[in-house]
Amino acid sequence: MKRPGPLLTLLAGLLLAVFMLTLNATTGTKNASYSSQESSPSATPQASPPPTGAPPPSSPPPPSRSAPPNADYAGRTDDNSSAVAVSLRGGKAIAYFCDGRSKESWLKGDVKDDGTMKLTGKNGAELNGTLKDSSGIRGTVDLGGQRYAFTADKAVKPSGLYRATATVRGAKLDGGWIVLPGGKQVGILDRDGKPAAAPTIDPESGTVTVDGQTLTASPVTP
């Protein structure tokens, strides 16, 4: 029998070399795949979302508004036919509308923190107004089927709103006066339900003479 020749030895060596190359290539591919998975962004830990139903972050509370300051206001309607006075105390307001002849109304209500007010009186009378930076009130008065726009500026005594009630010689008297800035007065004196122009008061003392009797008109506040 002949021994394997050099050709068979060479062939065996080639087969061994091919096997080793294939083994190395397979191992390298597996290692690269493993390294790629380790470096993938999806492997990076992510922050957990907030639990379902958790309350949202609380927002700071809105700044609180203070109540309108206590003050008195007096002025005239835009058509100059009547006068309006408003007195504010502790978030409450009382107002008087008067044309100085026969038409008048007392109105009351609340003042909101934003300076708006809705005051009501007899027979459906209504005043809607807004306080502007504590310097004045701009609004309307609805009375007797008419609407009167007005502006009332801040009043400094003796300007302001006054009232006197009494019984003189069996007659029930109810008088209202608005002393405007500058000293002019607008008022009505009601005698047993019959309104008429009111006599002038002394705003420093509040005194007024009616039918020979001296009465005292006092500043009006809510």
Side-chain angles (χ1 to χ4, degrees), residues 164-178:
T165 56
T167 300
V168 177
R169 297 180 182 179
K172 186 177 181 180
L173 306 179
D174 186 359
W177 291 264
I178 298 173

Side-chain angles (χ1 to χ4, degrees), residues 97-113:
F97 172 93
C98 172
D99 68 356
R101 297 179 299 276
S102 61
K103 190 177 293 186
E104 66 174 348
S105 181
W106 291 93
L107 309 103
K108 296 180 179 180
D110 297 327
V111 183
K112 297 182 179 180
D113 290 349

